[in-house]
Amino acid sequence: MKTDWTEDQVSRLFDAYDDRVEARFGYQPLIAALKDAHGTAISVLDYGCGGGKVSRRLKAAGIARVTGVDIAPTMIEKATAAGSSDDLRYVHIDSGTVPFADASFDAAICCFLFINVPERAELRRITAEVFRTLKPGGRFYILDTNPRTTGVRYPTFQNGHPGVVYGDGDARPVFLDVPGHGTFDIIDTHWDLPTYRDALISAGFAIDETRELSVADTLPVSPGEEQPDDLGGHAPFVLFKASKPQA
Ligand SMILES: C[S@@+](CC[C@H](N)C(=O)[O-])C[C@H]1O[C@@H](n2cnc3c(N)ncnc32)[C@H](O)[C@@H]1O
């Protein structure tokens, strides 16, 4: 059974999860790519923002305006409680619709969202909604777990069991290490890479790059940070870069 992200206990444990591997090997390369493409004087939509960890990192990286949206009221409450302003706002949404006009944003991101959406049609609705609210020429970045490295034990998490082959759309257990709690077990949906591409293309996006992120892509989270975690040569995450054609 899929994890219910609107449950308070789920949002509490996800918030307490130490996301240093995601930060170093996923969020930082994503933010660097976004800044390279657009600079910082932009408005960014963070779709499926959770407790706002990535929105806050975007803001800390100098992005002018960040809007986080999520279906879980508890997540939006947590994100807002951690600090919001006119330039860092959080909005609760119904699945697949956002209350913003066409062409509102310069760029959009979604991090670890697809794996939490079990219906293919819903993936398409979300992608179409991002397309609608992006300006022509705007870019959409999807960061997610790499479906090609399930079963690998990473320093802070494991997606799926070793030796099990997951099919497109299968439920897949995920084990997150939460300090002071132990393992937080959730159920994700395994999507193969073509499913991401199909959702993007069906919405009208051009796919610029699909990249399995690994040690070569890492960026330090803060100056003087200790050595990065050893990933044993595996790429834990995948980053899709797509763009909305100019009108
Ligand atoms: C694994 S968390 C990731 C949160 C954040 N992006 C991050 O990387 O820290 C997935 C989030 O997606 C949200 N979510 C799940 N289905 C959604 C949907 N259909 N529309 C919007 N948000 C959704 C959940 O409530 C949860 O906050």
Side-chain angles (χ1 to χ4, degrees), residues 24-186:
R24 184 164 200 133
F25 298 93
Y27 302 140
Q28 296 299 338
L30 183 163
I31 292 169
L34 195 147
K35 285 173 71 172
D36 273 358
H38 301 271
T40 54
I42 55 169
S43 181
V44 177
L45 175 66
D46 179 4
Y47 205 118
C49 63
K53 289 181 181 178
V54 189
S55 293
R56 288 195 290 280
R57 286 182 171 110
L58 286 169
K59 205 74 193 71
I63 300 298
R65 282 180 307 287
V66 180
T67 302
V69 298
D70 202 285
I71 53 160
T74 48
M75 288 291 193
I76 292 296
E77 279 162 26
K78 281 199 164 47
T80 306
S84 66
S85 65
D86 286 350
D87 293 334
L88 176 61
R89 59 182 177 152
Y90 298 102
V91 179
H92 175 246
I93 58 162
D94 290 328
S95 188
T97 56
V98 294
F100 308 118
D102 296 358
S104 294
F105 300 99
D106 300 290
I109 68 168
C110 75
C111 303
F112 307 104
L113 172 66
F114 274 43
I115 52 167
N116 288 293
V117 176
E119 301 91 19
R120 208 175 295 267
E122 189 60 17
L123 296 179
R124 287 187 169 213
R125 271 195 291 276
I126 290 169
T127 315
E129 195 65 345
V130 170
F131 187 88
R132 180 186 71 74
T133 51
L134 271 181
K135 296 175 185 170
R139 289 192 177 80
F140 183 27
Y141 302 82
I142 300 177
L143 174 68
D144 224 326
T145 55
N146 185 355
R148 287 158 36 94
T149 59
T150 54
V152 173
R153 178 66 225 184
Y154 289 111
T156 52
F157 69 90
Q158 179 177 322
N159 294 307
H161 292 289
V164 175
V165 176
Y166 296 92
D168 197 44
D170 282 356
R172 184 183 67 196
V174 175
F175 312 100
L176 304 177
D177 300 337
V178 174
H181 170 84
T183 307
F184 169 37
D185 298 358
I186 55 182

Side-chain angles (χ1 to χ4, degrees), residues 25-26 29 142-150 154 193 197 209-218 231 233-241:
F25 298 93
I142 300 177
L143 174 68
D144 224 326
T145 55
N146 185 355
R148 287 158 36 94
T149 59
T150 54
Y154 289 111
L193 298 178
R197 296 195 193 104
E209 190 182 10
T210 303
R211 186 176 182 83
E212 291 178 59
L213 298 171
S214 61
V215 172
D217 299 288
T218 64
L231 304 185
H234 300 288
F237 309 122
V238 62
L239 178 63
F240 295 86
K241 301 179 191 173

